[in-house]
Amino acid sequence: QVFSSVTSVLSMSVFKDQFVLEDLVEEMKKQSRDLSFGPLRSDGRIAVQGSFPAITGLRDFLLLKAKSLSEKDSREESKSHQRLRRRLQEHRSTTERRNFIPDGDGGKQVVVLDTDIYHYMKHFFPWVFQQNDVVISAVTDGDITTVCVENAGRADAEQVLSVKKKIEDQSIELHSTLRKIRVSVKERTGDEKQRHKWVCERLKSCYPRVLVIPYDAHIEVVGFSSDIFKFSKEMSS
């Protein structure tokens, strides 16, 4: 009641991956008819003018939008995680039945890993894949990587199994603690893609425990939750 009119500049860029910003602004105008809206700028900012209660109401409306998106992302991430886990279990079961060959030379063992976890292990825990007297190879098929441990001539079955267990134990530990975000670059221009790559490279030195994996249509950022949260925040700033 102290101010008859206040002006606020809103940054709508946080919604750009989920909404067409122009459509969202139209929805805001219908929701808050007592407010005056300036033009939507290219950086996603927009000036809004009106009474303080009306501005507060618009803020609550946008907070609900953001909350619903956050809950949706969490549900989708949980479902995706569960699907991947089931696929890993099924793939591991069938692959191990097919590829375990007990013989006098120590046989062969396989471990089925999430591909991003495999890349993280290769980068930060290379010693897991560097064992004496065994040959360790990997075949990647999308989001699943099959690691094969074989006798190199002097290892026995117990040693092959021991190496497999080390890889498996390390992957299980990381699977429960690592988090990842996916930054889509499919619809972005060449300059925007280059900017994202440059930002990722710059941030890598600030977050040495984060692994950045570039793909054609997106960038995977893998690391521990506290690092991922800060990394993604700085990427979007």
Side-chain angles (χ1 to χ4, degrees), residues 1 12-13 26 29 36 38 67 78 85 92-93 111 126 130 141 146 153 157 172 176 185 191 194 198 205 213:
Q1 295 175 348
M12 308 298 295
S13 58
E26 288 303 316
K29 290 178 179 179
S36 298
K67 183 180 179 182
S78 176
R85 191 164 187 169
R92 180 179 291 118
S93 177
V111 186
Q130 297 168 359
D141 178 17
T146 302
I172 291 171
S176 63
V185 295
D191 289 343
Q194 193 60 39
W198 179 83
S205 60
I213 310 172

Side-chain angles (χ1 to χ4, degrees), residues 135-182:
V135 175
I136 300 175
S137 57
V139 177
T140 295
D141 178 17
D143 54 10
I144 287 177
T145 294
T146 302
V147 177
C148 179
V149 184
E150 296 180 87
N151 173 28
R154 294 186 297 273
D156 56 21
E158 185 176 346
Q159 187 173 350
V160 172
L161 188 62
S162 174
V163 172
K164 176 218 173 183
K165 190 173 186 307
K166 286 179 183 177
I167 297 172
E168 200 166 40
D169 289 347
Q170 185 67 68
S171 71
I172 291 171
E173 181 181 343
L174 290 175
H175 203 275
S176 63
T177 55
L178 289 180
R179 297 293 179 268
K180 61 183 175 182
I181 58 173
R182 176 172 292 184

Side-chain angles (χ1 to χ4, degrees), residues 25-201:
V25 170
E26 288 303 316
E27 189 177 350
M28 289 161 54
K29 290 178 179 179
K30 293 177 182 177
Q31 178 74 21
S32 309
R33 297 185 182 279
D34 295 333
L35 295 174
S36 298
F37 292 81
L40 180 65
R41 302 176 192 170
S42 58
D43 61 358
R45 294 178 183 271
I46 186 171
V48 184
Q49 186 177 45
S51 66
F52 184 76
I55 292 284
T56 302
L58 178 61
R59 180 202 64 182
D60 294 341
F61 167 75
L62 291 175
L63 285 175
L64 284 174
K65 280 280 187 187
K67 183 180 179 182
S68 66
L69 285 174
S70 176
E71 291 173 348
K72 179 182 177 183
D73 288 345
S74 296
R75 289 194 299 269
E76 289 178 351
E77 182 179 353
S78 176
K79 289 178 181 177
S80 175
H81 187 78
Q82 290 171 3
R83 285 195 299 269
L84 177 58
R85 191 164 187 169
R86 283 197 301 269
R87 188 180 170 195
L88 283 170
Q89 290 171 343
E90 292 167 359
H91 195 75
R92 180 179 291 118
S93 177
T94 56
T95 307
E96 287 183 350
R97 285 198 302 269
R98 185 173 64 246
N99 288 314
F100 175 59
I101 308 171
D103 59 29
D105 295 328
K108 177 170 68 172
Q109 293 279 352
V110 297
V111 186
V112 181
L113 307 177
D114 173 272
T115 294
D116 292 329
I117 298 290
Y118 168 73
H119 286 310
Y120 195 91
M121 289 173 64
K122 283 281 287 184
H123 188 82
F124 292 103
F125 302 90
W127 56 269
V128 178
F129 301 102
Q130 297 168 359
Q131 304 290 332
N132 294 329
D133 301 328
V134 297
V135 175
I136 300 175
S137 57
V139 177
T140 295
D141 178 17
D143 54 10
I144 287 177
T145 294
T146 302
V147 177
C148 179
V149 184
E150 296 180 87
N151 173 28
R154 294 186 297 273
D156 56 21
E158 185 176 346
Q159 187 173 350
V160 172
L161 188 62
S162 174
V163 172
K164 176 218 173 183
K165 190 173 186 307
K166 286 179 183 177
I167 297 172
E168 200 166 40
D169 289 347
Q170 185 67 68
S171 71
I172 291 171
E173 181 181 343
L174 290 175
H175 203 275
S176 63
T177 55
L178 289 180
R179 297 293 179 268
K180 61 183 175 182
I181 58 173
R182 176 172 292 184
V183 182
S184 176
V185 295
K186 187 175 182 181
E187 303 299 330
R188 302 186 186 276
T189 65
D191 289 343
E192 289 174 330
K193 289 181 181 179
Q194 193 60 39
R195 175 187 171 277
H196 272 87
K197 289 180 181 179
W198 179 83
V199 171
C200 285
E201 287 298 321

